[in-house]
Amino acid sequence: MSFSSIRLDSPVNMIVVVVLTLLAIIAVPWFWDRWKRKRLWRSATILLAVVLLVVTTGMAGNMIGGFFPTVGSLIGTGVYSGQGTDAEAAQNGEDLEKLRDTGVAHAREGKGTVVHMKVTGRRTKLTRDVTVYLPPQYFDAAYKELRFPAIEWIPNYPSGPEVFAVYGMPQQLDAAIARKALPPTVVIVPDPTGVPKVGHDTECVDEVNGTANDTYLTADLRDWALQKLGVSPNRQGWTIAGWSSGGYCAMNLVTRHPQWYGQAVSVSGYDKAQIDAETEDLFHGRQDINDANNVRVNVRLHPSPVQILAISGEKESYESYAIDQIRAAARPPLQFTSWRIRDAGHNMNTFKSQIPDVLAWIGSHTTSPAPAGRVADTTGGVLPWPLPKSGAHGALADTDQ
């Protein structure tokens, strides 16, 4: 049995661990007097109860947060083809063409194709895991000359691309494209953290005297996607989205690089990099670089023609406060929209409940697939497919909620 086959998100496994934990806790007083002269056995019983209690707590937190689907993904030995992906591609996706038959078969069922690979950045030389969703139209001959819009979806810390399937994103994307709430879109899900994950929250920034996470996630991945995936170079065809730390990453990266991105969506994100037990001081006293990665500062001092949707739950006081601060600081031409929703707290269920609305919002702001060299439709709606030669369509309006 491989570590990738041991599920951390299974309710059955959770029940088994809870039962074992309760039995271990009961065993401590039960055998205490009987093993009065067997101190080693007493110690072993206590240790077992403590370990199982820690495991139970960790599994419960993991199921709420949706961080790691398997033991393999937790310790970095996960087999991605066994974690919701359809295929494993070669380094940098050099052999994507071999997926054509799989993609065509999926397209007949209205499904996209999910593929995992390692991608090395041209500038940073960083190599990280990347999962890519290719829409049903990707291998369709009618779309061969068209450039697809792209979404870069940033996982929450300490997760990586393996959570893409845990969130049910492939099915949500299939449904959104089928009902024309979202145009056929390539979705890129990178690992924002690298190895090690635990205790190394990068917040997607270029660390002072450290790893160039921002450069990898923006310049490197965008350049790679333009060359290898054939996505649109139009900035309005590019959206960065994410939940929790991924939400902060989305807003920060888009406001820092408006020449490349048109939209950002943050669900339960915040306004600045954290400094806590999981996140070291990424800037090492450089207040100028700290400010350069503060969304609230950027939307006030360096507003750009980007559109941001920020969502927070009524019970998420910190995130809601941060969003209110960003809204108050935002200046034209930046367009800032916020939604305050009923929620179950800062957890995966709150995020998953927002996915259909988030995809619809992106669909109303991103471009439609268009021939290379032509500026795609950007008036706020989704054109029917295949694309007509001309025609008007309605736009979906932003509303603060």
Side-chain angles (χ1 to χ4, degrees):
M1 177 183 294
S2 68
F3 287 125
S4 294
S5 63
I6 305 175
R7 304 296 304 187
L8 293 176
D9 56 0
S10 167
V12 175
N13 289 350
M14 183 72 204
I15 291 172
V16 170
V17 172
V18 169
V19 171
L20 291 175
T21 301
L22 291 175
L23 290 175
I25 292 173
I26 293 172
V28 173
W30 180 267
F31 291 106
W32 189 258
D33 290 333
R34 300 185 184 188
W35 288 344
K36 184 180 298 185
R37 298 181 180 180
K38 298 179 179 179
R39 295 182 179 180
L40 181 61
W41 286 96
R42 274 186 172 183
S43 300
T45 305
I46 296 172
L47 179 62
L48 178 62
V50 171
V51 169
L52 284 173
L53 186 61
V54 171
V55 170
T56 299
T57 304
M59 285 188 67
N62 183 70
M63 291 187 71
I64 293 172
F67 303 120
F68 304 104
T70 68
V71 173
S73 64
L74 171 63
I75 64 177
T77 63
V79 179
Y80 280 83
S81 59
Q83 296 175 1
T85 58
D86 300 309
E88 187 82 13
Q91 181 85 10
N92 296 323
E94 296 296 337
D95 57 350
L96 281 179
E97 187 61 27
K98 76 176 185 180
L99 298 177
R100 178 167 295 278
D101 290 344
T102 300
V104 170
H106 285 178
R108 293 194 188 103
E109 302 175 4
K111 297 179 180 179
T113 300
V114 181
V115 57
H116 167 262
M117 67 201 76
K118 298 278 188 177
V119 175
T120 299
R122 182 173 63 86
R123 296 168 180 80
T124 63
K125 309 304 179 186
L126 292 174
T127 298
R128 290 184 178 172
D129 294 294
V130 175
T131 291
V132 176
Y133 168 90
L134 302 171
Q137 296 78 7
Y138 191 83
F139 296 106
D140 188 335
Y143 289 79
K144 185 176 181 180
E145 303 302 324
L146 301 184
R147 295 282 191 139
F148 292 88
I151 300 172
E152 186 171 342
W153 207 288
I154 309 294
N156 57 298
Y157 174 81
S159 303
E162 66 276 0
V163 299
F164 189 59
V166 176
Y167 296 152
M169 286 297 298
Q171 296 79 10
Q172 295 274 19
L173 288 161
D174 291 342
I177 292 171
R179 67 175 182 269
K180 292 184 170 56
L182 181 76
T185 301
V186 171
V187 181
I188 303 161
V189 189
D191 178 1
T193 306
V195 178
K197 288 188 182 298
V198 178
H200 183 59
D201 182 3
T202 68
E203 299 281 279
C204 304
V205 305
D206 282 353
E207 305 169 41
V208 173
N209 300 323
T211 307
N213 303 286
D214 178 331
T215 302
Y216 176 81
L217 294 169
T218 57
D220 278 348
L221 280 186
R222 188 177 188 276
D223 183 56
W224 167 78
L226 292 176
Q227 295 183 25
K228 183 55 59 179
L229 303 179
V231 295
S232 172
N234 188 340
R235 58 177 291 276
Q236 288 181 285
W238 277 81
T239 303
I240 303 185
W243 171 56
S244 189
S245 60
Y248 160 70
C249 291
M251 292 190 290
N252 187 45
L253 295 179
V254 167
T255 53
R256 283 176 53 79
H257 305 287
Q259 75 276 24
W260 292 332
Y261 306 99
Q263 299 81 227
V265 178
S266 165
V267 182
S268 303
Y270 37 86
D271 59 337
K272 59 184 177 181
Q274 306 295 292
I275 300 178
D276 51 33
E278 296 295 328
T279 310
E280 299 174 359
D281 183 0
L282 301 169
F283 308 116
H284 294 282
R286 289 287 301 276
Q287 188 60 42
D288 57 334
I289 301 180
N290 193 331
D291 288 343
N293 288 275
N294 186 313
V295 179
R296 176 168 44 83
V297 171
N298 278 330
V299 300
R300 179 172 60 86
L301 298 182
H302 311 289
S304 54
V306 299
Q307 300 183 77
I308 297 176
L309 169 63
I311 304 172
S312 65
E314 293 176 343
K315 298 179 182 178
E316 295 178 306
S317 57
Y318 176 75
E319 293 79 8
S320 295
Y321 175 79
I323 289 174
D324 290 342
Q325 293 296 300
I326 297 172
R327 187 198 304 109
R331 300 289 182 270
L334 184 141
Q335 297 181 37
F336 187 85
T337 300
S338 61
W339 297 347
R340 192 67 47 84
I341 61 171
R342 294 181 179 178
D343 69 299
H346 191 81
N347 59 56
M348 185 174 60
N349 291 329
T350 297
F351 166 63
K352 289 173 68 174
S353 70
Q354 296 305 301
I355 293 176
D357 289 337
V358 164
L359 294 179
W361 187 92
I362 294 174
S364 69
H365 292 79
T366 191
T367 62
S368 298
R374 195 192 98 185
V375 177
D377 171 80
T378 59
T379 58
V382 177
L383 292 173
W385 310 298
L387 292 172
K389 293 182 179 179
S390 63
H393 56 284
L396 300 177
D398 283 340
T399 56
D400 286 331
Q401 298 184 6

